[in-house]
Amino acid sequence: MRREPIELAAVATAAVPGLSPTAVSSAPDDPADFDSALLLDAEGKRWRVRSPRHAEASTRLETEFLVLRAFAPGIRAELPFLMPTVAGTVRQQSLTTFVYSHLHGATRTVEELTAGPQELAKEIGTALAAIHDLPRALVSNADLPSYTPNEFRQRRLNELDMAATTGKIPALLLRRWEHAMEDVSLWRFNPCVVHGDLHEDNLLVEDNRVTAVTGWTDLRIGDPADDLAWLVASNEHEFVDAVVKHYTAKRRDAPDTHLLRRAALSAEFALAQYLVKGIAAADAGMIAEAEAMLSTLADDIAEYGGQPISVEPLPPAKPDAPPTGQEPAAPGLLDAPAATDISEAMPAVHVTPIPVDAKPLPVEVTPIPVEVTPIPADGADGPADGAAGDAGARKDEASQDAGGSADAEAAGVQGEAQDGGPAPKPSGADTSTVALTVVEAKTN
């Protein structure tokens, strides 16, 4: 249930002893997670109240409290902006409300920021560079998340799989995002400290100066492009280019070649994350809003192409199914020409020739009984006439010289071998290829 500003003022008095609000107003924040209000006390001081709407949001505020404590005075002094200070907390059941000492400046819409002068673009770029150059030990000492580029990419792929299971993401977007997430060259960056939840509501501006940065609930080591996603989503390319120019000049690290591509991907994918969040919260309004934004994005990309998000070009989409009456081609086979009759172009039987010297395949042969008519012979041991007789005679001589019967058996010689042993008798069950007689087929 949403809390009204007047109710938040009453909670704040319990969190900060002696606080007597004289005026209260609502404050911009993430309405799905927090109820917020600005208070003015009798001494003219301002305070900000953030009350979580569910347990996960409360955990984020408690994490932010630990983060703010990790920013030692020396680190805060080096930043070009101010950071919040927690003045008090109050716990109600499982949720904790936080009261912060108010910071100077006011939030502006994205349209107001991108319409600002070059001086404001320089301020935003400088603030981003200062965040990303924070010591990594700040995150590791606070036991906050830390991701390598590949771990971060895999995390995105896992989130994409989860979003796809909803069945509410347009196929064009799923294919586009998956291609970019699998493009390894896109994810070669140096991880750094990342704000993690940077957007226009967490920047306080006064006289074209960034006076403070708030909302430190998702501090981590990860992809610096995430902190530019909200800005890239504005599609104000001139302003974005000016911010990135000053950002790159202030960074102590080497320039990130694909920073804006990943930022554009992060901006688009944020819609899918918003949808998943709405489904998890069973919030029909969030779900409908996310579906509408996803549909609009898909239509814009289909018509105009969208911002480039991958290094490798996206290959043409394959048809989901073959035309009616046509089966998909088997892997490795070439498609037949459209105007060709396949029954005429391809033989009915595919014959694969077997090399002469190939070893016989282990097949089961069922012999066919035949009558064998003895061939008259001139000699005592082999065929008598023609080339077969000459071959038999030569084999007999070789058998006599060798003193064995192996060659005689291989040649099919029947009778007694030279060593006096009986030759094997043919049997109807003998399937040995040695006992077969090869006869050349007659050709017309």
Side-chain angles (χ1 to χ4, degrees):
M1 184 177 66
R2 182 175 179 81
R3 289 186 170 186
E4 296 298 328
I6 191 66
E7 184 180 357
L8 292 176
V11 174
T13 58
V16 181
L19 176 60
S20 299
T22 58
V24 61
S25 66
S26 60
D29 210 325
D30 185 349
D33 294 329
F34 307 105
D35 294 320
S36 297
L38 291 178
L39 308 180
L40 180 67
D41 66 8
E43 298 179 1
K45 293 181 180 180
R46 297 187 178 186
W47 311 80
R48 188 184 187 192
V49 185
R50 298 188 83 191
S51 181
R53 304 194 69 180
H54 48 79
E56 190 270 338
S58 183
T59 301
R60 289 174 59 192
L61 288 181
E62 292 168 5
T63 301
E64 181 186 37
F65 179 57
L66 297 176
V67 169
L68 294 176
R69 290 178 59 182
F71 278 84
I75 296 177
R76 290 181 179 239
E78 294 181 358
L79 295 174
F81 51 80
L82 298 176
M83 295 186 62
T85 300
V86 176
T89 64
V90 59
R91 190 169 185 84
Q92 296 173 298
Q93 298 180 352
S94 61
L95 306 181
T96 304
T97 297
F98 284 75
V99 180
Y100 304 83
S101 56
H102 186 63
L103 300 168
H104 293 288
T107 59
R108 297 184 184 180
T109 64
V110 174
E111 292 76 16
E112 291 172 337
L113 291 174
T114 55
Q118 287 290 311
E119 181 184 357
L120 182 55
K122 181 179 179 180
E123 284 281 314
I124 296 175
T126 301
L128 283 168
I131 295 172
H132 295 170
D133 281 336
L134 284 167
R136 294 166 60 107
L138 183 72
V139 173
S140 57
N141 292 343
D143 199 24
L144 295 172
S146 178
Y147 303 99
T148 65
N150 190 55
E151 288 172 343
F152 189 82
R153 183 178 72 90
Q154 188 59 53
R155 185 169 179 256
R156 280 285 187 263
L157 281 169
N158 294 340
E159 291 175 338
L160 178 62
D161 289 342
M162 183 181 296
T165 60
T166 66
K168 298 179 180 295
I169 309 293
L172 180 149
L173 297 180
L174 287 175
R175 182 169 172 269
R176 171 179 168 89
W177 295 341
E178 182 180 25
H179 176 72
M181 292 177 190
E182 292 181 346
D183 186 355
V184 178
S185 59
L186 182 68
W187 301 92
R188 296 189 180 117
F189 63 88
N190 292 329
C192 63
V193 176
V194 177
H195 182 280
D197 190 31
L198 197 62
H199 48 78
E200 64 274 17
D201 291 340
N202 287 331
L203 288 180
L204 298 182
V205 178
E206 187 176 58
D207 296 333
N208 293 323
R209 289 182 54 251
V210 175
T211 56
V213 178
T214 62
W216 297 84
T217 58
D218 294 317
L219 192 72
R220 59 177 178 263
I221 293 176
D223 186 0
D226 277 5
D227 284 347
L228 282 89
W230 66 280
L231 201 54
V232 172
S234 69
N235 288 321
E236 296 294 339
H237 302 296
E238 291 185 7
F239 189 84
V240 172
D241 290 343
V243 170
V244 173
K245 175 184 175 182
H246 293 294
Y247 166 81
T248 304
K250 291 290 185 180
R251 280 297 310 271
R252 292 196 292 265
D253 207 346
D256 189 338
T257 307
H258 304 308
L259 180 70
L260 289 181
R261 289 178 182 269
R262 297 196 312 278
L265 171 62
S266 182
E268 292 181 11
F269 191 61
L271 301 182
Q273 293 171 315
Y274 186 65
L275 171 67
V276 171
K277 193 173 184 179
I279 293 175
D283 189 323
M286 285 180 63
I287 296 173
E289 184 182 10
E291 286 188 277
M293 291 189 292
L294 286 165
S295 178
T296 300
L297 175 62
D299 292 341
D300 288 345
I301 291 176
E303 184 172 357
Y304 304 109
Q307 298 187 54
I309 61 173
S310 58
V311 180
E312 294 294 330
L314 183 65
K318 295 180 180 180
D320 294 335
T324 305
Q326 180 179 344
E327 296 295 331
L333 297 182
L334 297 176
D335 295 334
T340 303
D341 186 353
I342 297 179
S343 64
E344 296 177 359
M346 302 182 64
V349 179
H350 298 274
V351 180
T352 303
I354 300 176
V356 176
D357 57 349
K359 294 182 179 180
L361 297 175
V363 297
E364 183 178 353
V365 179
T366 303
I368 302 175
V370 295
E371 273 188 35
V372 179
T373 304
I375 300 175
D378 289 342
D381 296 323
D385 51 286
D390 294 339
R394 285 194 297 271
K395 291 182 180 183
D396 285 343
E397 294 173 1
S399 176
Q400 292 174 1
D401 294 339
S405 61
D407 292 338
E409 292 174 1
V413 178
Q414 300 178 4
E416 304 252 346
Q418 293 302 320
D419 58 0
K425 296 180 181 181
S427 170
D430 187 4
T431 60
S432 171
T433 57
V434 177
L436 298 179
T437 301
V438 180
V439 179
E440 294 184 2
K442 293 182 180 182
T443 57
N444 294 330

